[in-house]
Amino acid sequence: AIPQILKGNEVPAWGILPPGLAPEVGQQVSKYKIDNKISKWNGPSEIEVAFYAKDIHTPVMEWLQSEWQKNLGVKVKLRKMEGKTYWSLLQSDPPQIFLSGSTAAYAHPYSFLSEFLSESHANFGRFKSKKYDELAIRISQLNQGRVRAGLNQEAQKILLKEHCAIIPLYFRQTAALISQNWKDFWINPMTYTYLKNLKKY
């Protein structure tokens, strides 16, 4: 539903690693089946979800609010905040549930995984797992090409399923306007452009 709401070719996220950094994700998406039947909800009947003011966030959060009410019977209060105040609050006293995003600093799974280390300054949700920390550090010591899919999946299983620390929503796409006079223009998942092979028709 999110790509239809935002209309920007967003890709639904089945994990925290985008297909460009974890090729196995792209292979699994087409086979992934969603089980939207939850037999029992043990959480509170009302929750508050905070997000920062940005045009694209409001329709997504209103959709989440509707889905949680419809599927779980949970009433969601949305708390929209100004950006500077919002990020300051995440550092000092993070809300019960809040919206956040991430952009990789370099092309390696660890760039995303490191944000959820116990001592990471970006770990606003205060997630802690010794097992996860050890696994993420192990992944960091391998070249991207040598990081086995199983290691990525194990780390995400701890974060997403065993602890339910985060709920991935979507990956943004990179858009570029290219003249038809050029060919062999290439842009990688980090949005770095490569002009070495660029040719003019």
Side-chain angles (χ1 to χ4, degrees):
I2 291 178
Q4 296 174 1
I5 294 170
L6 297 180
K7 306 183 188 309
N9 295 321
E10 290 77 14
V11 179
W14 312 113
I16 62 172
L17 301 179
L21 294 184
E24 71 274 7
V25 173
Q27 296 168 6
Q28 291 175 353
V29 167
S30 61
K31 301 176 183 178
Y32 193 94
K33 293 184 179 180
I34 301 173
D35 180 5
N36 59 4
K37 297 180 181 179
I38 298 179
S39 59
K40 187 176 182 180
W41 169 253
N42 294 319
S45 59
E46 291 189 23
I47 57 176
E48 181 177 88
V49 179
F51 66 103
Y52 55 103
K54 195 173 182 180
D55 290 344
I56 66 171
H57 292 162
T58 300
V60 172
M61 300 313 290
E62 290 177 346
W63 172 77
L64 282 173
Q65 181 183 46
S66 173
E67 288 297 300
W68 283 352
Q69 172 70 50
K70 180 174 64 177
N71 294 297
L72 300 176
V74 177
K75 293 183 179 179
V76 177
K77 176 184 178 183
L78 297 179
R79 182 182 178 188
K80 187 175 181 178
M81 302 176 63
E82 183 272 330
K84 189 174 181 179
T85 303
Y86 182 78
W87 294 111
S88 177
L89 180 64
L90 293 195
Q91 291 283 359
S92 59
D93 184 22
Q96 185 179 16
I97 300 177
F98 57 88
L99 180 69
S100 185
S102 180
T103 301
Y106 48 91
H108 192 283
Y110 184 71
S111 186
F112 284 101
L113 298 175
S114 63
E115 296 203 359
F116 302 98
L117 293 173
S118 298
E119 303 303 323
S120 170
H121 295 297
N123 184 6
F124 301 122
R126 311 297 194 264
F127 166 70
K128 288 185 181 294
S129 167
K130 182 179 179 181
K131 182 179 177 183
Y132 176 87
D133 290 351
E134 292 174 347
L135 186 58
I137 294 298
R138 181 182 171 192
I139 290 173
S140 76
Q141 296 168 347
L142 298 172
N143 293 332
Q144 183 180 355
R146 295 183 59 196
V147 177
R148 298 195 308 273
L151 293 178
N152 287 333
Q153 292 169 358
E154 187 178 348
Q156 293 188 93
K157 181 180 178 182
I158 296 171
L159 185 66
L160 277 62
K161 293 188 176 182
E162 294 180 9
H163 292 269
C164 297
I166 65 170
I167 303 172
L169 294 177
Y170 62 91
F171 299 118
R172 295 186 299 267
Q173 293 278 55
T174 298
L177 187 64
I178 309 298
S179 170
Q180 293 182 349
N181 294 330
W182 299 97
K183 67 176 181 176
D184 294 335
F185 173 86
W186 187 61
I187 183 169
N188 78 356
M190 300 290 297
T191 69
Y192 296 156
T193 57
Y194 292 81
L195 305 179
K196 182 178 180 180
N197 298 320
L198 191 65
K199 299 181 183 68
K200 195 169 185 178
Y201 280 109

